Every structure is written in structure tokens, then in C-alpha cells.
């Protein structure tokens, strides 16, 4: 299996990066200029797939790239935008030339070969690899982390994008990619974003945030039943929730999708999480009237009071660092799981102030590590929380607490 990746330049005068990737993920790179060189190379290598980083189709209703039209975007471009992936519209200045060239090459190549449109910038965002502008070495290292072996030392950024293009093709062949847009118009292939489905919620995790755990999902469901009961008893209509330490936003989104007339404020300190929450709110078609996304260090920017506060803080203890899986250390930001001495750094800070933001009769739900039970009990007593109850997770371990003011 040989896959050809092309980081196509808009003109034959500029360098086009080329990568040939085999089934063992060995990448060989070169640079070409003219279309003829590209076509000769294809004839020589006979790849099973050609992945081109250039627009290979026009928006429906637009006959030519250079003719004036009000149509600027294809459905696939709009899907990129929805996912907050930055791109240049195909009708913008230099993109026109690139589109022309892409369309011409595709027409010739697809007579004999399978050709797909890819966008390395999108692939890099989804795979959580730095884009070329953010440092060549970082992009190279990111690709190597996926097991790609790059032959040669002097690899330029066009070639690194060509490798990304070919790798996207590799994922496509392995059914680990998805197509954005409409077949009849032209699609962009991107790696399948890491995501999960939790009941009626679709949670995209492509920004590289904390991966929601099964234990959390177990207790959220139970906690929500308690909230519903409370709402019924007190007859409150528009209940306000705070999802603090929100990460992907899974807790708040589950609330919004399952409690009618609820409002949720999402709070996280990490910009990646803030972007991820916005993406997930859109994916789940939640009306912007029902939420606020706040970048804040704990309660610093919070002014409201809430009926219910949900918190899953970073709580892995310094003393247990050795037990943390390599995949967690590598792919999940440390800020999302590391809780300092005894894992209590954020739990303490949270309990110090949570009360101030809870309405009378409100409830707090807090996730902890089973080993923290006694220490957390002390903290709750010291801070004079009235009532609290520890609950177990599906594995029989103490995992979450229901707390009253
Ligand atoms: C354990 S994750 C929980 C994510 C999500 N709620 C879940 O259950 O899957 C903790 C989150 O807290 C955020 N965080 C860490 N320190 C914070 C701080 N000082 N203020 C607000 N959020 C913080 C991290 O960025 C991370 O997204």
C-alpha cells in the first residue's frame, strides 16, 4: 500500500510538498514544481490513494472560481467552521489559483486513481498536533508520536503537511476518518475526531481535553434524578446549574439535554476546554440562551448563585503520580487531572467558596478519589457544611458526595 500526499502550491513556480507513505507508516518526502512532475510521479509510484491539500470542488451554484458569485462556501467548509477549525475560503485571493490547479489535477488523476481532498490544518487540530506555523519541530514530533517514521533529515513544512495529508489518507483507508460535507458537492476527509456518545449527548474531544470517565457518567445520572426530585418538590421552573471544572462540558450538556428549562454556566480555566465546550454546545444544538461559558480560575469570575453545583475537579494526588497511565500523561493535560498534595488542592479551594454561590436549599455534587473520603469529611466539617452524604460508583468505591449548604 502506498499513499501519496500532496501539499499543493497555488502556482507551478512554487514548491509543492510530496509524501509517500507506506503501510508501515514510513514516509518519504520530496518537492516538485510542475503538474507534469506530479503526474509522472503518480504514474511511477501508482499509489492506491492520492490525498490533495487543495480545494477539489466548487460550492453548489458556483460554476467557475473566477466568476463573480454570492456563493463562497461549500457544506464541508461550513462544517469546518462549525468545528472551529480555521481555514481560508476557497474564493479568497490566492486560494482561487490553488482551487483552479486542484480542480485541473483532480480531473486528470481521478480517471485512474482514487483522489480525496484533505486539509492538513484540520487533521493536525483534530489529532492535537501543532500546525506548521507553530514550529516545524513540534509538527514533526507530533507526527512521529503517531508512529510515522520520516526518512531524511531536512524536511520542510510543505513536506510535513504532505505527510499529514497522506496520514489522513491512511486513516481513511483504515476507516478512522470521516467525510465532511455533501458527496454531490465535494467533501473534505478528516480524521475521526475522538468523541463519545453518552446517552443523548455527542461529545467531541478533538481539542485534547480530559476524557470523561465512566465513573463520572455513572454518578451524573444519579445526581440528576436527585435534582429533578428537588425541582419538583420546590416547584422551581428555571433552575440554574453551575458546571465548574467542565472540561469537555459533558456534565452541563447532559443537564441541558435532560432537564427542561435549565440554565448552565460552564467554568474552566483552560482555553482548550472553553473552545471544546463551545463546540459541544453547538454539536448538541443547545440554544445560546440557556448557557454561559466562562473562562475563570475557580469562582473568580462568578457572580451568580445556583440551585445546583456540579464539580469534578482535578484530584490525582502527587503521592500517586506513579500509578497514572502513560496515555493519560501523554494525551490529557496535566491541569485537568493533577490535584497536588493528597490530590486536595482544588477540592479545598472549591469547598472554601462553593457555599457562597449556592442558593438556600441548593445542592452541591462533588467527585473525589475514594482514598480522599476521610480528609474531605474533615474539610466539610471544618467549613461547616450542614449535611453531606458519600456515595459509591459502579465499582463499589466511594466516588461522589451530595452536599447541602
Ligand atoms: C477532571 S477534569 C473534569 C472535566 C469534566 N467535568 C468531566 O467530568 O469529564 C477537570 C477540569 O478542571 C479544569 N481546571 C483545572 N484547574 C482549574 C481552575 N483553577 N479553575 C477552573 N477550572 C480548572 C481543567 O482544565 C479540566 O478541564
Amino acid at each position: 500500500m502506498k499513499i501519496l500526499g500532496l501539499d499543493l502550491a497555488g502556482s507551478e513556480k512554487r514548491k509543492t510538498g510530496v509524501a509517500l507513505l507506506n503501510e508501515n507508516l514510513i514516509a518519504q518526502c520530496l518537492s516538485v514544481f510542475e503538474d507534469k512532475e506530479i503526474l509522472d510521479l503518480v504514474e511511477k509510484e501508482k499509489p492506491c490513494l492520492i490525498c490533495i491539500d487543495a480545494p477539489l470542488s466548487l460550492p453548489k451554484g458556483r460554476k467557475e472560481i473566477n466568476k463573480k458569485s454570492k456563493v463562497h462556501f461549500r457544506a464541508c467548509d461550513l462544517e469546518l467552521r462549525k468545528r472551529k477549525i480555521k481555514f481560508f475560503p476557497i474564493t479568497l485571493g490566492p486560494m482561487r489559483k490553488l482551487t483552479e490547479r486542484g480542480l485541473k489535477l483532480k480531473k486528470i488523476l481521478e480517471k485512474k486513481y482514487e483522489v480525496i481532498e484533505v486539509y492538513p490544518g484540520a487533521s493536525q487540530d483534530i489529532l492535537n498536533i501543532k500546525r506548521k506555523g507553530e514550529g516545524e519541530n513540534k509538527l514533526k514530533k507530533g507526527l512521529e508520536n503517531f508512529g510515522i517514521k520520516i526518512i531524511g533529515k531536512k524536511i520542510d513544512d510543505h513536506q510535513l503537511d504532505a505527510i499529514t495529508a497522506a496520514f489522513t489518507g491512511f486513516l481513511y483507508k483504515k476507516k478512522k476518518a470521516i467525510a465532511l460535507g455533501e458527496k454531490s458537492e465535494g467533501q473534505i476527509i478528516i480524521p475521526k475526531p475522538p468523541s463519545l456518545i453518552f446517552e443523548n449527548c455527542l461529545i467531541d474531544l478533538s481539542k485534547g481535553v480530559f476524557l470523561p470517565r465512566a465513573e463520572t457518567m455513572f454518578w451524573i445520572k444519579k445526581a440528576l434524578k436527585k435534582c429533578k426530585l428537588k425541582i419538583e418538590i420546590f416547584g422551581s421552573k428555571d433552575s440554574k446549574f453551575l458546571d465548574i471544572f467542565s472540561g469537555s462540558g459533558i456534565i452541563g450538556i447532559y443537564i441541558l439535554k435532560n432537564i427542561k428549562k435549565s440554565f448552565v454556566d460552564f467554568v474552566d480555566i483552560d482555553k482548550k476546554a472553553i473552545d471544546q465546550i463551545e463546540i459541544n454546545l453547538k454539536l448538541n444544538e443547545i440554544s445560546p440562551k440557556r448557557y454561559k461559558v466562562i473562562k475563570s480560575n475557580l469562582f473568580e469570575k462568578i457572580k451568580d448563585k445556583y440551585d445546583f453545583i456540579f464539580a469534578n475537579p482535578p484530584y490525582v494526588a502527587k503521592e500517586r503520580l506513579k500509578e497514572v497511565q502513560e496515555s493519560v500523561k501523554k494525551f490529557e493535560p496535566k491541569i485537568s487531572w493533577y490535584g497536588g498534595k493528597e490530590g486536595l488542592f482544588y477540592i479545598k479551594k472549591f469547598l472554601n467558596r462553593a457555599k457562597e454561590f449556592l442558593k438556600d436549599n441548593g445542592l452541591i455534587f462533588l467527585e473525589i478519589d475514594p482514598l480522599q473520603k476521610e480528609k474531605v469529611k474533615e474539610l466539610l466539617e471544618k467549613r461547616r457544611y450542614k449535611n453531606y452524604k458519600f456515595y459509591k460508583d459502579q465499582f463499589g468505591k466511594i466516588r461522589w458526595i451530595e452536599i447541602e449548604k
Side-chain angles (χ1 to χ4, degrees):
M1 180 170 87
K2 231 182 238 175
I3 297 175
L4 184 81
L6 287 179
D7 178 40
L8 196 67
S11 131
E12 288 189 297
K13 288 194 183 112
R14 292 199 357 256
K15 224 195 260 179
T16 284
V18 181
L20 275 159
L21 190 73
N22 71 11
E23 66 274 18
N24 298 320
L25 291 180
I26 296 173
Q28 275 184 315
C29 297
L30 63 150
S31 300
V32 293
F33 289 85
E34 295 176 5
D35 288 351
K36 185 170 178 323
E37 286 175 83
I38 296 175
L39 297 172
D40 287 349
L41 182 75
V42 169
E43 275 310 296
K44 185 175 157 228
E45 298 291 344
K46 300 198 181 349
C48 64
L49 179 68
I50 301 171
C51 317
I52 306 183
D53 171 19
L56 301 182
S57 61
L58 294 177
K60 252 185 209 161
R62 191 170 182 124
K63 293 225 161 56
E64 279 178 46
I65 188 79
N66 289 317
K67 275 206 173 149
K68 271 205 168 168
S69 160
K70 280 186 185 151
V71 198
H72 295 279
F73 298 104
R74 301 168 295 170
C76 53
D77 299 321
L78 296 175
E79 280 188 47
L80 282 180
R81 187 194 265 175
K82 192 168 155 192
R83 288 166 186 271
K84 291 203 159 195
I85 294 172
K86 287 184 195 142
F87 65 97
F88 292 115
I90 67 170
T91 50
L92 190 94
M95 286 298 285
R96 290 181 183 224
K97 280 192 149 187
L98 180 63
T99 307
E100 248 182 334
R101 194 176 182 196
L103 288 168
K104 186 178 144 203
L105 276 173
K106 183 190 165 206
K107 207 170 165 189
I108 304 170
L109 289 169
E110 71 180 359
K111 286 183 188 150
K112 271 173 76 179
Y113 299 93
E114 187 179 5
V115 182
I116 57 170
E117 177 178 335
V118 294
Y119 175 33
S123 299
Q124 287 149 5
D125 285 0
I126 291 163
L127 297 170
N128 210 14
I129 306 176
K130 296 276 180 219
R131 287 196 187 197
K132 62 186 172 201
E134 298 171 274
E136 250 175 55
N137 256 341
K138 285 187 186 157
L139 170 52
K140 189 164 180 260
K141 276 215 177 98
L143 290 166
E144 286 168 344
N145 274 344
F146 281 91
I148 299 170
K149 294 165 256 335
I150 304 171
I151 310 282
K153 278 192 180 143
K154 277 200 167 172
I155 303 290
D156 64 34
D157 53 7
H158 299 295
Q159 293 165 341
L160 290 172
D161 266 1
I163 299 175
T164 312
F167 184 54
T168 309
F170 177 87
L171 296 173
Y172 167 78
K173 284 279 176 201
K174 300 270 176 214
K175 301 202 180 334
K176 286 184 180 158
I178 54 164
L180 299 183
E182 294 164 16
K183 224 174 182 169
S184 59
E185 187 185 43
Q187 295 176 305
I188 300 178
I189 305 297
I190 59 165
K192 207 178 258 176
S195 63
L196 68 85
I197 293 172
F198 173 42
E199 300 204 348
N200 53 352
C201 308
L202 172 61
I203 303 296
D204 177 290
L205 299 162
S206 58
K207 291 283 164 195
V209 293
F210 184 82
L211 305 182
R213 306 295 200 258
E215 291 87 329
T216 308
M217 296 187 222
F218 174 85
W219 74 256
I220 302 175
K221 275 167 69 173
K222 307 237 174 231
L224 226 62
K225 277 191 189 146
K226 291 176 183 284
C227 299
K228 279 183 179 166
L229 203 70
K230 194 120 193 169
I231 292 169
E232 249 179 63
I233 295 170
F234 287 93
S236 45
K237 277 183 194 144
D238 308 322
S239 16
K240 266 206 100 166
F241 290 76
L242 175 66
D243 172 9
I244 189 165
F245 309 105
S246 9
S248 59
I250 187 160
I251 298 181
I253 288 171
Y254 184 68
I255 293 167
L256 285 165
K257 289 206 93 167
N258 292 287
I259 297 200
K260 278 185 204 150
K261 295 198 173 170
S262 54
F263 294 86
V264 176
D265 283 352
F266 294 84
V267 171
D268 203 289
I269 197 169
D270 187 0
K271 165 87 171 56
K272 271 200 281 191
I274 296 296
D275 290 346
Q276 190 69 80
I277 297 163
E278 299 269 15
I279 289 173
N280 283 325
L281 285 160
K282 285 202 182 102
L283 267 183
N284 288 279
E285 297 175 340
I286 312 273
S287 158
K289 288 184 192 144
R290 297 183 63 201
Y291 63 82
K292 271 197 288 191
V293 182
I294 307 160
K295 186 171 182 297
S296 167
N297 179 7
L298 283 134
F299 294 102
E300 260 174 27
K301 296 207 176 127
I302 309 300
K303 293 187 185 82
D304 280 344
K305 284 198 177 227
Y306 300 88
D307 297 289
F308 305 101
I309 300 179
F310 281 66
N312 180 14
Y315 59 66
V316 172
K318 188 176 167 189
E319 298 75 12
R320 299 186 70 193
L321 264 182
K322 273 193 199 141
E323 295 164 42
V324 178
Q325 281 175 14
E326 275 312 304
S327 63
V328 173
K329 285 187 188 159
K330 204 163 168 184
F331 296 114
E332 295 178 73
K334 193 169 178 186
I335 194 175
S336 74
W337 50 265
Y338 182 60
K341 193 170 172 251
E342 295 173 303
L344 292 171
F345 184 79
Y346 293 102
I347 293 178
K348 272 186 196 163
K349 283 187 177 260
F350 170 78
L351 289 175
N352 280 348
R353 296 202 62 196
K355 230 183 217 191
E356 290 170 46
F357 299 90
L358 192 68
K359 288 186 193 168
D360 297 337
N361 296 315
L363 290 177
I364 296 171
F365 298 99
L366 171 67
E367 180 169 325
I368 58 161
D369 182 290
L371 295 178
Q372 291 165 337
K373 183 182 171 188
E374 292 311 318
K375 291 269 174 194
V376 174
K377 210 169 160 181
E378 271 174 37
L379 292 173
L380 287 164
E381 292 290 332
K382 247 191 203 162
R383 284 156 184 78
R384 298 184 192 286
Y385 281 92
K386 204 167 71 188
N387 284 317
Y388 53 84
K389 192 167 176 198
F390 288 85
Y391 290 95
K392 290 182 179 166
D393 62 22
Q394 65 270 52
F395 308 111
K397 293 188 171 169
I398 295 290
R399 181 68 62 188
W400 58 290
I401 323 168
E402 178 186 346
I403 308 164
E404 283 176 25
K405 218 164 158 171

